[in-house]
Amino acid sequence: MGDVVARSTEPQLARIKLAWWREQLEALDEKPPPAEPRLRAVAEQLLPRGLTGGEIAGLEPGWATLLDEKIDPELVAARGALLFRIGGSLLGSDDPKLGEAGALYALASVGRRGLPGLFEPARTRAEALRGHRIERRARPLTMLARAAARDLCKEEGEGGRARALAMLAHRWSGRVC
């Protein structure tokens, strides 16, 4: 879905493609996947691990809002929260703050790519994580949230040393903020 939005030159066509992906993911709960390799991978790798196509399809509104004239920060945050909860379940974690970490990551990530208005809602999500130690199993995923939290304070490239150190510190401490 991210590829559809990133490569979009016609928002209406991109919306149709996103709707197709959503419908195809939802259909995986009822029937075998079509020949599309990514849908087959979802059916083979994710569904047997307890996820549903409908659950994964829930990511679509958070991508679709990026095609809107006025982006809805709550939909972006919900996409990130769902993505991190899905990732957490695959990692065997049910940390109660995974959703907040995912929302922070999604908002800051989109903000970095030209929509700085999303930084303020991201700061609110970061504040909700202050002092919380993420469960060890989820930390490979939530390192992205730690990098996002750093991005709210300091502007540097994605490959910066200090950013990498912040992510490593999160791996050890479990703290995002």
Side-chain angles (χ1 to χ4, degrees):
M1 291 183 194
D3 283 346
V4 169
V5 173
R7 296 175 188 199
S8 167
T9 56
E10 297 287 332
Q12 286 307 103
L13 182 57
R15 286 180 207 290
I16 292 168
K17 289 179 181 180
L18 286 174
W20 182 86
W21 278 104
R22 184 190 69 244
E23 291 166 2
Q24 293 301 308
L25 286 165
E26 290 169 343
L28 291 178
D29 294 335
E30 305 296 326
K31 59 185 181 183
E36 207 290 322
R38 289 172 282 194
L39 290 170
R40 284 188 185 266
V42 167
E44 293 169 7
Q45 301 296 320
L46 300 179
L47 300 186
R49 296 178 76 186
L51 295 172
T52 67
E55 183 177 15
I56 299 164
L59 296 167
E60 188 260 345
W63 286 113
T65 192
L66 298 179
L67 300 168
D68 295 337
E69 193 171 307
K70 184 172 176 1
I71 293 170
D72 184 343
E74 286 306 310
L75 289 176
V76 174
R79 173 181 54 86
L82 177 58
L83 182 64
F84 272 42
R85 284 193 301 274
I86 289 170
S89 74
L90 294 172
L91 293 169
S93 172
D94 61 353
D95 189 294
K97 295 284 187 168
L98 279 176
E100 289 295 332
L104 164 62
Y105 165 71
L107 289 163
S109 176
V110 173
R112 280 186 64 145
R113 286 163 177 77
L115 296 165
L118 296 180
F119 284 150
E120 199 51 46
R123 285 185 181 89
T124 301
R125 301 302 179 136
E127 198 54 42
L129 290 164
R130 188 161 307 283
H132 178 73
R133 289 177 61 110
I134 299 287
E135 186 178 62
R136 186 174 301 275
R137 282 180 260 172
R139 292 179 193 170
L141 176 63
T142 56
M143 284 181 5
L144 296 170
R146 175 61 185 108
R150 180 171 172 72
D151 292 345
L152 297 176
C153 302
K154 308 226 187 272
E155 182 62 39
E156 65 182 344
E158 289 187 4
R161 265 190 212 145
R163 196 168 192 258
L165 286 173
M167 292 170 73
L168 285 174
H170 169 70
R171 269 296 266 163
W172 295 316
S173 73
R175 296 193 192 285
V176 172
C177 297

